[in-house]
Amino acid sequence: IDWSIVTITILITGIGLIALASISPQMIVKSGNDPFSKQMGMAIVGILLIFVVGVISPKYIYNMVWPAYIFTLLLLIMVLVMGKTGLGATRWIRIGPIQFQPPEFAKITVLLAFAKYLATLKTGINHMKPFFVSIAIVIVPWFLIFVEPDLGTSLAFLAFIFPVLYWAGFKPITIVLILYPALSLLGSVNWYLLTGIFIVLLIILYFIRMPLWGKIAIVLGNIGMALLANPLWNM
């Protein structure tokens, strides 16, 4: 067991419990709900689970990755079909008195499946097929979560794709080009900023080896993302 991770987890959990303790008296008076006691019980169960998982053989977890990934996809589909809706989003599954959010399990199983695929590659990651297969492993559950809609969890998925690709040996400049459309989207709020972003993009494309059609496609893609900013904001 990595005690530094356990300690940090307990400290962060403690900060959350202190925040809940400060509002629990008002919540009890207002609605009879005690968020502190409920969360304290869940925190204790969660910390115990850390130690349970800590004694499971990594080989067993490794062998269970793909079944867990497929089971997670089925749960995400169940959420869309028969999930509980609240505050405009369908994120929960209720089984008797228990309700849970499958996207939280997906954070773990998808990351494990993504890492396992990259670890078992016979060829390098910088080939087209491994790249698109590895992205598909993440994009399918990401889309199912995004349409719930659950923007926060879907953004968490995008956050771990690129560090894992980098650690697997993906070229940093390619990761930059993949991320660049998002930069163009955000930079469209200001013409001067957007101009600077495109100048840097053109400089990068000038110095890297790539077919001309590929460079043109990248430029057009970034222009398209910049033009989409206003319609997306209005939606």
Short mmCIF file of all heavy atoms in Angstrom, two decimals, residues 192-226:
data_model
loop_
_atom_site.label_atom_id
_atom_site.label_comp_id
_atom_site.label_asym_id
_atom_site.label_seq_id
_atom_site.Cartn_x
_atom_site.Cartn_y
_atom_site.Cartn_z
N TYR A 192 -6.89 39.09 -31.71
CA TYR A 192 -5.43 39.17 -31.57
C TYR A 192 -4.88 37.85 -31.03
O TYR A 192 -3.85 37.34 -31.50
CB TYR A 192 -5.05 40.33 -30.64
CG TYR A 192 -5.41 41.69 -31.20
CD1 TYR A 192 -6.48 42.41 -30.68
CD2 TYR A 192 -4.66 42.24 -32.24
CE1 TYR A 192 -6.82 43.64 -31.20
CE2 TYR A 192 -4.99 43.49 -32.76
CZ TYR A 192 -6.07 44.20 -32.24
OH TYR A 192 -6.40 45.42 -32.75
N LEU A 193 -5.57 37.31 -30.04
CA LEU A 193 -5.15 36.02 -29.46
C LEU A 193 -5.24 34.91 -30.50
O LEU A 193 -4.31 34.10 -30.64
CB LEU A 193 -6.02 35.69 -28.25
CG LEU A 193 -5.75 34.35 -27.55
CD1 LEU A 193 -4.33 34.30 -27.02
CD2 LEU A 193 -6.75 34.14 -26.41
N LEU A 194 -6.34 34.90 -31.26
CA LEU A 194 -6.53 33.87 -32.27
C LEU A 194 -5.47 33.97 -33.37
O LEU A 194 -4.96 32.94 -33.84
CB LEU A 194 -7.93 33.99 -32.88
CG LEU A 194 -8.36 32.86 -33.82
CD1 LEU A 194 -8.39 31.53 -33.08
CD2 LEU A 194 -9.74 33.16 -34.42
N THR A 195 -5.13 35.19 -33.75
CA THR A 195 -4.09 35.39 -34.76
C THR A 195 -2.76 34.82 -34.27
O THR A 195 -2.04 34.14 -35.01
CB THR A 195 -3.93 36.89 -35.09
OG1 THR A 195 -5.18 37.39 -35.59
CG2 THR A 195 -2.85 37.09 -36.15
N GLY A 196 -2.43 35.09 -33.01
CA GLY A 196 -1.19 34.57 -32.43
C GLY A 196 -1.18 33.05 -32.40
O GLY A 196 -0.16 32.41 -32.70
N ILE A 197 -2.33 32.46 -32.05
CA ILE A 197 -2.44 31.00 -31.99
C ILE A 197 -2.20 30.39 -33.37
O ILE A 197 -1.49 29.39 -33.51
CB ILE A 197 -3.84 30.59 -31.45
CG1 ILE A 197 -3.91 30.89 -29.95
CG2 ILE A 197 -4.13 29.11 -31.72
CD1 ILE A 197 -5.29 30.74 -29.36
N PHE A 198 -2.74 31.01 -34.42
CA PHE A 198 -2.57 30.48 -35.77
C PHE A 198 -1.16 30.71 -36.31
O PHE A 198 -0.64 29.89 -37.07
CB PHE A 198 -3.61 31.07 -36.72
CG PHE A 198 -4.88 30.26 -36.78
CD1 PHE A 198 -5.89 30.47 -35.86
CD2 PHE A 198 -5.05 29.28 -37.73
CE1 PHE A 198 -7.04 29.71 -35.89
CE2 PHE A 198 -6.20 28.51 -37.78
CZ PHE A 198 -7.20 28.73 -36.86
N ILE A 199 -0.53 31.79 -35.91
CA ILE A 199 0.86 32.01 -36.32
C ILE A 199 1.76 30.91 -35.75
O ILE A 199 2.61 30.34 -36.44
CB ILE A 199 1.35 33.40 -35.87
CG1 ILE A 199 0.67 34.50 -36.71
CG2 ILE A 199 2.87 33.52 -35.99
CD1 ILE A 199 0.95 35.90 -36.23
N VAL A 200 1.55 30.58 -34.46
CA VAL A 200 2.33 29.51 -33.82
C VAL A 200 2.05 28.19 -34.52
O VAL A 200 2.97 27.39 -34.76
CB VAL A 200 1.99 29.42 -32.32
CG1 VAL A 200 2.66 28.20 -31.69
CG2 VAL A 200 2.42 30.69 -31.61
N LEU A 201 0.78 27.93 -34.87
CA LEU A 201 0.42 26.69 -35.55
C LEU A 201 1.14 26.58 -36.89
O LEU A 201 1.69 25.52 -37.23
CB LEU A 201 -1.09 26.63 -35.76
CG LEU A 201 -1.60 25.42 -36.57
CD1 LEU A 201 -1.29 24.12 -35.85
CD2 LEU A 201 -3.10 25.54 -36.82
N LEU A 202 1.16 27.66 -37.65
CA LEU A 202 1.82 27.65 -38.96
C LEU A 202 3.33 27.41 -38.82
O LEU A 202 3.94 26.72 -39.64
CB LEU A 202 1.55 28.95 -39.70
CG LEU A 202 0.09 29.17 -40.13
CD1 LEU A 202 -0.10 30.56 -40.72
CD2 LEU A 202 -0.36 28.11 -41.12
N ILE A 203 3.92 27.98 -37.78
CA ILE A 203 5.36 27.77 -37.54
C ILE A 203 5.63 26.29 -37.22
O ILE A 203 6.58 25.69 -37.74
CB ILE A 203 5.85 28.67 -36.39
CG1 ILE A 203 5.80 30.15 -36.82
CG2 ILE A 203 7.28 28.29 -35.97
CD1 ILE A 203 6.08 31.12 -35.68
N ILE A 204 4.78 25.69 -36.37
CA ILE A 204 4.93 24.28 -36.04
C ILE A 204 4.82 23.42 -37.29
O ILE A 204 5.65 22.53 -37.53
CB ILE A 204 3.87 23.85 -34.99
CG1 ILE A 204 4.12 24.54 -33.65
CG2 ILE A 204 3.88 22.33 -34.81
CD1 ILE A 204 3.02 24.32 -32.63
N LEU A 205 3.81 23.69 -38.11
CA LEU A 205 3.59 22.89 -39.32
C LEU A 205 4.73 23.07 -40.32
O LEU A 205 5.04 22.14 -41.08
CB LEU A 205 2.25 23.28 -39.97
CG LEU A 205 0.99 22.90 -39.17
CD1 LEU A 205 -0.25 23.44 -39.85
CD2 LEU A 205 0.88 21.39 -38.99
N TYR A 206 5.33 24.21 -40.34
CA TYR A 206 6.44 24.47 -41.27
C TYR A 206 7.64 23.57 -40.94
O TYR A 206 8.33 23.08 -41.85
CB TYR A 206 6.85 25.94 -41.21
CG TYR A 206 8.03 26.28 -42.10
CD1 TYR A 206 7.86 26.47 -43.48
CD2 TYR A 206 9.31 26.40 -41.57
CE1 TYR A 206 8.94 26.77 -44.29
CE2 TYR A 206 10.40 26.70 -42.38
CZ TYR A 206 10.21 26.89 -43.74
OH TYR A 206 11.29 27.17 -44.54
N PHE A 207 7.89 23.34 -39.66
CA PHE A 207 9.09 22.63 -39.24
C PHE A 207 8.91 21.12 -39.10
O PHE A 207 9.90 20.40 -38.95
CB PHE A 207 9.62 23.20 -37.92
CG PHE A 207 10.32 24.52 -38.07
CD1 PHE A 207 9.70 25.71 -37.72
CD2 PHE A 207 11.61 24.58 -38.60
CE1 PHE A 207 10.35 26.92 -37.86
CE2 PHE A 207 12.26 25.80 -38.74
CZ PHE A 207 11.63 26.97 -38.38
N ILE A 208 7.67 20.62 -39.10
CA ILE A 208 7.49 19.17 -38.95
C ILE A 208 7.32 18.51 -40.32
O ILE A 208 6.85 19.13 -41.28
CB ILE A 208 6.29 18.82 -38.05
CG1 ILE A 208 4.97 19.26 -38.69
CG2 ILE A 208 6.46 19.40 -36.68
CD1 ILE A 208 3.76 18.77 -37.94
N ARG A 209 7.72 17.24 -40.39
CA ARG A 209 7.59 16.48 -41.63
C ARG A 209 6.19 15.86 -41.68
O ARG A 209 5.81 15.04 -40.84
CB ARG A 209 8.64 15.39 -41.69
CG ARG A 209 10.06 15.91 -41.77
CD ARG A 209 11.06 14.78 -41.83
NE ARG A 209 10.86 13.94 -43.02
CZ ARG A 209 11.56 12.83 -43.27
NH1 ARG A 209 12.49 12.41 -42.43
NH2 ARG A 209 11.32 12.14 -44.37
N MET A 210 5.43 16.28 -42.71
CA MET A 210 4.06 15.81 -42.87
C MET A 210 3.62 16.13 -44.29
O MET A 210 4.03 17.16 -44.85
CB MET A 210 3.13 16.51 -41.86
CG MET A 210 1.67 16.11 -41.94
SD MET A 210 0.63 17.07 -40.82
CE MET A 210 1.20 16.48 -39.24
N PRO A 211 2.81 15.27 -44.92
CA PRO A 211 2.30 15.59 -46.26
C PRO A 211 1.55 16.92 -46.26
O PRO A 211 0.92 17.29 -45.27
CB PRO A 211 1.36 14.41 -46.57
CG PRO A 211 1.82 13.31 -45.69
CD PRO A 211 2.35 13.96 -44.45
N LEU A 212 1.61 17.61 -47.40
CA LEU A 212 0.96 18.92 -47.50
C LEU A 212 -0.53 18.84 -47.21
O LEU A 212 -1.09 19.71 -46.54
CB LEU A 212 1.20 19.51 -48.90
CG LEU A 212 0.57 20.89 -49.16
CD1 LEU A 212 1.13 21.93 -48.19
CD2 LEU A 212 0.81 21.31 -50.61
N TRP A 213 -1.18 17.76 -47.70
CA TRP A 213 -2.61 17.63 -47.46
C TRP A 213 -2.93 17.52 -45.97
O TRP A 213 -3.96 17.99 -45.51
CB TRP A 213 -3.18 16.43 -48.23
CG TRP A 213 -2.67 15.09 -47.77
CD1 TRP A 213 -1.64 14.38 -48.28
CD2 TRP A 213 -3.19 14.30 -46.68
NE1 TRP A 213 -1.45 13.20 -47.59
CE2 TRP A 213 -2.40 13.12 -46.61
CE3 TRP A 213 -4.23 14.47 -45.77
CZ2 TRP A 213 -2.63 12.13 -45.67
CZ3 TRP A 213 -4.45 13.48 -44.83
CH2 TRP A 213 -3.66 12.33 -44.79
N GLY A 214 -2.02 16.88 -45.23
CA GLY A 214 -2.22 16.76 -43.79
C GLY A 214 -2.14 18.11 -43.09
O GLY A 214 -2.94 18.41 -42.20
N LYS A 215 -1.20 18.93 -43.51
CA LYS A 215 -1.05 20.26 -42.93
C LYS A 215 -2.26 21.13 -43.25
O LYS A 215 -2.76 21.87 -42.39
CB LYS A 215 0.23 20.91 -43.44
CG LYS A 215 1.51 20.19 -43.00
CD LYS A 215 2.75 20.90 -43.50
CE LYS A 215 4.01 20.19 -43.02
NZ LYS A 215 5.25 20.88 -43.43
N ILE A 216 -2.74 21.03 -44.50
CA ILE A 216 -3.92 21.81 -44.89
C ILE A 216 -5.13 21.37 -44.07
O ILE A 216 -5.92 22.20 -43.60
CB ILE A 216 -4.20 21.64 -46.40
CG1 ILE A 216 -3.07 22.29 -47.22
CG2 ILE A 216 -5.55 22.25 -46.77
CD1 ILE A 216 -3.17 22.02 -48.70
N ALA A 217 -5.27 20.05 -43.86
CA ALA A 217 -6.40 19.53 -43.08
C ALA A 217 -6.36 20.04 -41.64
O ALA A 217 -7.39 20.39 -41.06
CB ALA A 217 -6.38 18.00 -43.10
N ILE A 218 -5.15 20.11 -41.06
CA ILE A 218 -5.01 20.59 -39.69
C ILE A 218 -5.41 22.06 -39.59
O ILE A 218 -6.14 22.47 -38.68
CB ILE A 218 -3.56 20.38 -39.20
CG1 ILE A 218 -3.30 18.90 -38.97
CG2 ILE A 218 -3.30 21.17 -37.91
CD1 ILE A 218 -1.86 18.57 -38.67
N VAL A 219 -4.96 22.86 -40.56
CA VAL A 219 -5.29 24.30 -40.56
C VAL A 219 -6.80 24.48 -40.72
O VAL A 219 -7.43 25.26 -39.98
CB VAL A 219 -4.53 25.03 -41.68
CG1 VAL A 219 -5.05 26.48 -41.80
CG2 VAL A 219 -3.03 25.03 -41.39
N LEU A 220 -7.41 23.76 -41.66
CA LEU A 220 -8.85 23.89 -41.87
C LEU A 220 -9.64 23.42 -40.65
O LEU A 220 -10.66 24.01 -40.29
CB LEU A 220 -9.26 23.08 -43.10
CG LEU A 220 -8.76 23.60 -44.46
CD1 LEU A 220 -9.19 22.66 -45.58
CD2 LEU A 220 -9.27 25.01 -44.73
N GLY A 221 -9.15 22.37 -40.01
CA GLY A 221 -9.81 21.89 -38.80
C GLY A 221 -9.80 22.92 -37.69
O GLY A 221 -10.81 23.11 -36.98
N ASN A 222 -8.68 23.59 -37.53
CA ASN A 222 -8.59 24.63 -36.50
C ASN A 222 -9.45 25.84 -36.84
O ASN A 222 -10.05 26.45 -35.95
CB ASN A 222 -7.12 25.04 -36.31
CG ASN A 222 -6.36 24.08 -35.42
OD1 ASN A 222 -6.37 24.21 -34.21
ND2 ASN A 222 -5.71 23.10 -36.04
N ILE A 223 -9.52 26.19 -38.12
CA ILE A 223 -10.41 27.29 -38.54
C ILE A 223 -11.85 26.93 -38.24
O ILE A 223 -12.63 27.75 -37.73
CB ILE A 223 -10.22 27.60 -40.04
CG1 ILE A 223 -8.83 28.21 -40.29
CG2 ILE A 223 -11.31 28.55 -40.54
CD1 ILE A 223 -8.48 28.38 -41.75
N GLY A 224 -12.21 25.67 -38.53
CA GLY A 224 -13.56 25.22 -38.25
C GLY A 224 -13.92 25.29 -36.78
O GLY A 224 -15.02 25.72 -36.41
N MET A 225 -12.98 24.90 -35.91
CA MET A 225 -13.24 24.97 -34.46
C MET A 225 -13.40 26.41 -34.00
O MET A 225 -14.25 26.71 -33.16
CB MET A 225 -12.09 24.30 -33.70
CG MET A 225 -12.08 22.79 -33.83
SD MET A 225 -13.59 22.00 -33.22
CE MET A 225 -13.44 22.31 -31.46
N ALA A 226 -12.59 27.31 -34.56
CA ALA A 226 -12.71 28.73 -34.19
C ALA A 226 -14.07 29.28 -34.59
O ALA A 226 -14.70 30.04 -33.85
CB ALA A 226 -11.58 29.53 -34.83
#
